[in-house]
Amino acid sequence: MSQSASAVETNSAEEVVRKQIDAYNARDMDAFLATFADEVEIFGFPNTPSAKGKEEMRKRYTVRFSDTILHCIIVKRIVMGNTVIDHERVRVTLPEGPGVMEAIAMYEVHDGKIAKVTFIYGKKTPGEEL
């Protein structure tokens, strides 16, 4: 029996987001940007624009990827159709030193690329480990 269209789409959306997280953790800018649509839109919840397009993404993440302790883990993932929602914990250098920041990322995938991401930013905890 063949998979339904929605099952194929769900697997595809989840796979694209997984590749994006893998590239993020590898700090591989080209592989990271390859998972996004050319006109990707990034928002702070509920709808505050923060970046649009791959060139803005490159500028924003060049600094982030220079952080040698950068690493993201997924605490929980929900997938429905072309939407992937991740609760993320990210090891990062905060102004106070190494720590963890939390976020919820809502990814919308269209035509095999992440077209929109909305972030809900959580707490930042200096000194905490993943």
Side-chain angles (χ1 to χ4, degrees), residues 68-123:
T68 58
I69 68 167
L70 184 71
H71 190 80
C72 176
I73 61 168
I74 306 305
V75 177
K76 183 169 179 70
R77 173 169 284 166
I78 300 169
V79 181
M80 186 172 72
N82 69 333
T83 303
V84 178
I85 302 172
D86 283 345
H87 174 188
E88 301 175 351
R89 286 176 51 84
V90 181
R91 178 89 170 140
V92 64
T93 302
L94 300 167
E96 306 86 349
V100 171
M101 64 179 192
E102 288 193 81
I104 293 172
M106 293 172 273
Y107 300 97
E108 293 180 32
V109 178
H110 299 284
D111 299 322
K113 301 282 185 182
I114 299 167
K116 180 180 177 184
V117 186
T118 303
F119 289 104
I120 301 174
Y121 298 102
K123 66 182 178 176

Side-chain angles (χ1 to χ4, degrees), residues 33 38 40 42 49-62:
L33 291 175
D38 289 341
V40 60
I42 310 297
S50 66
K52 182 176 174 112
K54 284 187 179 181
E55 283 315 302
E56 280 190 41
M57 294 278 294
R58 182 180 296 279
K59 288 176 191 166
R60 169 179 293 215
Y61 284 92
T62 294

Side-chain angles (χ1 to χ4, degrees), residues 14-77:
E14 188 171 13
E15 179 69 10
V16 170
V17 173
R18 185 193 61 74
K19 286 179 182 176
Q20 180 260 159
I21 296 289
D22 288 349
Y24 180 94
N25 284 335
R27 297 183 292 284
D28 181 336
M29 183 66 73
D30 292 335
F32 178 72
L33 291 175
T35 63
F36 291 94
D38 289 341
E39 294 302 315
V40 60
E41 294 181 290
I42 310 297
F43 294 89
F45 184 81
N47 59 3
T48 304
S50 66
K52 182 176 174 112
K54 284 187 179 181
E55 283 315 302
E56 280 190 41
M57 294 278 294
R58 182 180 296 279
K59 288 176 191 166
R60 169 179 293 215
Y61 284 92
T62 294
V63 173
R64 171 100 20 113
F65 284 7
S66 70
D67 187 344
T68 58
I69 68 167
L70 184 71
H71 190 80
C72 176
I73 61 168
I74 306 305
V75 177
K76 183 169 179 70
R77 173 169 284 166

